[in-house]
Amino acid sequence: MKNSRFTTFGSFAAFCVLHFTFALGTYGQVTEPKPSAPRSAKIPAVVEKKLSNGMTVAVVQKTSTPMVTIRFLVKNGAGAEPNDKAGLANLTASMLTKGTATRSATEIAEAIEFLGGSINSGAGWNSSFVSVTVTSDKVDAAMDILADVILKPKFDEAELDLLKSQTLDSLTFSLKQAGSLTSYAASTYAFLEHPAGGTADTIAKITVSDVKRYYNAMFDRSRAVLIFAGDISPANAAGMANMHFVEGAVVSGVGSGPGNPFDDGGIDIGPPPPDKGRILVIDLPNSGQASVTYAAKLVKTGRKGTQYYTASVLNSVLGGGYSSRLNQEIRIKRGLSYGAGSSFSWRAEDSNFSTGAQTKNESAAHVAELILAEIKRLSSTNVAVTEMTPRKSVLTGTFGLNLETTAGLAGAVSDLYSFGIPLTELNAYVRKVNGVTAASIRSFAGTNLNGGVIIIAGDYSVFKDDLAKRFPKMKVDVIPAEKLDLSKANLRK
């Protein structure tokens, strides 16, 4: 009986395995479902109010969760700092949470932690910000902290020295990595800008006096926007803003006048070299891998322009995710990298386009060739509807997902204010993305993406011959890593 029982159990187990295998095989062969029809993200209207000091209060009320994000935005960032003080905008914004006239950096952190919230600050190329996120019943207490760090920063020299030291440590590490090197080099070599995060030389030069002057000129409340996103009414938000930033704000120096107080005594980046199709190699002997970037500056094709949505869909097709063309060709088909992608970095009137992939030194030239081939294909053939439709869905789906959080919603509103774009664009995003055509992508790629720069950081001795073989007509500019100076127009010490 005992053996019979086990025999019966074994037969049952075998039946289950066979049944599961059959079912898995059957269902595994079913055609993937087609994407459903696109749905528009329903975003509440942005309610604006001007305070007596000129500051704009913008409120997006969303009561689905008891959370609120408050974001103080100034429309100046790294683009307003002088070349020889690169990194100043981000240092200034970061210093706001490092101590005020009434609270130390530790006390600020502890106060926010006690509220169960978060606070952060920083600067990009186009704007600077301070942001707090708390539950809706803690907004008034959070506003007290936010107003304190914005209106009464101490700018303690010891805190600045510590922040500079941390920034320099991070830079030192990053600039030993091939991927970071190509990104930093592209700023000057391809985009004709200074590195927004600064360089070792520029960070070291920044003083408390520089920070104060930048703050006094740029953090002008009359040109600032205070954004509320989440579970708060426009009336309550405006009342809190008025109480903390008008009635209770007595600050000397802040908003002393528009404009940049610095005379730009930094590098004169100048116009791009006349020759197109350049290759820059940053030679890193014995590096474990190489980083390959293709970079192009798009003039008069900025965030405020009509081609933003075309560029966004193009980027999704080319390098905006796992299923994008670059990742398919470089990683999935050939196994030459763990990942490859592309992106646009937007300015108001212009934009910067770049691709990126890290690979073995032996395959660096091959990866560069594959990137150029995919860009050429975009400008010579139309993207099929079967490829473009899911890539659009990635964009619209990600957009809707980001707006589910109060921080994401505040960030989207900030983006519009930073570039001076009508607030109605929030609800137009899905429609405009889905309206992009294959013909417009092809035209955009042909007009804007050709004639960029290939930048490779890696062991040149390993891929030198292959690079010459694959690109026999292109000029190769080689800079040893130890002679690289990101503060100089020619990138050389």
Side-chain angles (χ1 to χ4, degrees), residues 376-435:
K376 182 178 180 180
R377 182 156 74 104
L378 272 178
S379 60
S380 60
T381 60
N382 285 341
V383 179
V385 173
T386 53
E387 180 183 13
M388 187 161 56
T389 299
R391 299 316 302 166
K392 288 180 177 179
S393 296
V394 169
L395 285 177
T396 57
T398 302
F399 175 76
L401 186 63
N402 287 341
L403 299 186
E404 288 298 312
T405 67
T406 57
L409 188 55
V413 175
S414 295
D415 187 57
L416 299 180
Y417 275 109
S418 295
F419 293 107
I421 296 170
L423 299 175
T424 53
E425 284 294 296
L426 269 183
N427 278 300
Y429 182 88
V430 173
R431 173 176 57 83
K432 290 192 175 183
V433 164
N434 286 312

Side-chain angles (χ1 to χ4, degrees), residues 94-160:
S94 298
M95 279 294 291
L96 296 178
T97 60
K98 303 302 181 183
T100 71
T102 58
R103 293 180 174 95
S104 67
T106 300
E107 288 170 336
I108 292 169
E110 289 175 345
I112 287 292
E113 185 179 1
F114 179 77
L115 297 177
S118 62
I119 185 168
N120 56 85
S121 61
W125 187 263
N126 306 290
S127 61
S128 304
F129 73 93
V130 185
S131 181
V132 295
T133 297
V134 292
T135 54
S136 51
D137 60 330
K138 302 291 195 306
V139 172
D140 192 54
M143 277 290 292
D144 183 64
I145 299 169
L146 181 67
D148 193 31
V149 301
I150 293 168
L151 299 176
K152 302 176 183 177
K154 189 176 181 180
F155 296 131
D156 181 74
E157 188 163 5
E159 288 288 352
L160 178 60

Side-chain angles (χ1 to χ4, degrees), residues 167-485:
T167 303
L168 288 170
D169 285 346
S170 179
L171 273 172
T172 299
F173 174 79
S174 295
L175 294 179
K176 291 179 180 178
Q177 313 304 311
S180 297
L181 273 175
T182 54
S183 178
Y184 271 84
S187 296
T188 298
Y189 199 81
F191 305 144
L192 313 179
E193 299 174 348
H194 62 257
T199 68
D201 288 341
T202 62
I203 293 294
K205 293 177 183 177
I206 293 172
T207 66
V208 168
S209 177
D210 293 330
V211 171
K212 288 180 178 179
R213 283 201 295 159
Y214 188 87
Y215 165 80
N216 286 337
M218 301 304 176
F219 281 76
D220 181 355
R221 285 169 291 160
S222 69
R223 293 178 292 142
V225 183
L226 189 65
I227 299 166
F228 292 80
D231 187 17
I232 187 169
S233 70
N236 285 342
M240 288 184 182
N242 188 68
M243 179 176 67
H244 289 283
F245 285 92
V246 180
E247 296 174 359
V250 180
V251 186
S252 61
V254 181
S256 57
N260 195 326
F262 296 91
D263 290 323
D264 192 344
I267 59 175
D268 179 14
I269 294 175
D275 56 309
K276 295 288 185 180
R278 294 167 287 146
I279 298 177
L280 170 67
V281 173
I282 302 172
D283 189 15
L284 285 167
N286 304 313
S287 64
Q289 60 183 355
S291 174
V292 183
T293 289
Y294 176 82
K297 187 169 187 68
L298 282 62
V299 179
K300 296 182 180 180
T301 307
R303 179 64 178 85
K304 294 176 68 174
T306 59
Q307 299 191 80
Y308 167 74
Y309 297 96
T310 298
S312 297
V313 177
L314 178 153
N315 187 68
S316 184
V317 170
L318 179 65
Y322 187 82
S323 301
S324 64
R325 289 183 175 184
L326 287 177
N327 203 58
Q328 287 278 346
E329 292 298 321
I330 296 172
R331 173 181 174 167
I332 298 173
K333 291 183 181 180
R334 295 174 174 82
L336 297 178
S337 175
Y338 284 115
S342 62
S343 64
F344 284 89
S345 180
W346 295 101
R347 312 290 184 251
E349 307 297 338
D350 303 323
S351 62
N352 299 333
F353 169 77
S354 63
T355 72
Q358 295 196 50
T359 185
K360 297 181 296 183
N361 283 291
E362 291 82 357
S363 53
H366 188 194
V367 167
E369 188 176 56
L370 291 171
I371 290 172
L372 289 184
E374 288 306 314
I375 290 172
K376 182 178 180 180
R377 182 156 74 104
L378 272 178
S379 60
S380 60
T381 60
N382 285 341
V383 179
V385 173
T386 53
E387 180 183 13
M388 187 161 56
T389 299
R391 299 316 302 166
K392 288 180 177 179
S393 296
V394 169
L395 285 177
T396 57
T398 302
F399 175 76
L401 186 63
N402 287 341
L403 299 186
E404 288 298 312
T405 67
T406 57
L409 188 55
V413 175
S414 295
D415 187 57
L416 299 180
Y417 275 109
S418 295
F419 293 107
I421 296 170
L423 299 175
T424 53
E425 284 294 296
L426 269 183
N427 278 300
Y429 182 88
V430 173
R431 173 176 57 83
K432 290 192 175 183
V433 164
N434 286 312
V436 172
T437 66
S440 65
I441 290 176
R442 180 177 178 178
S443 174
F444 182 95
T447 302
N448 296 290
L449 299 190
N450 295 308
V453 179
I454 297 172
I455 303 175
I456 305 175
D459 191 337
Y460 183 46
S461 66
V462 177
F463 58 82
K464 178 180 179 179
D465 293 340
D466 194 30
L467 191 67
K469 178 181 177 181
R470 294 179 188 271
F471 301 97
K473 297 181 180 180
M474 294 181 72
K475 177 183 177 182
V476 181
D477 185 11
V478 182
I479 302 176
E482 69 272 12
K483 295 184 178 179
L484 185 70
D485 187 343

Side-chain angles (χ1 to χ4, degrees), residues 62-84:
K62 185 178 181 181
T63 59
S64 55
T65 56
M67 300 292 295
V68 178
T69 294
I70 313 162
R71 190 178 181 99
F72 181 90
L73 176 77
V74 293
K75 303 172 191 177
N76 292 292
E81 68 194 10
N83 292 327
D84 64 343

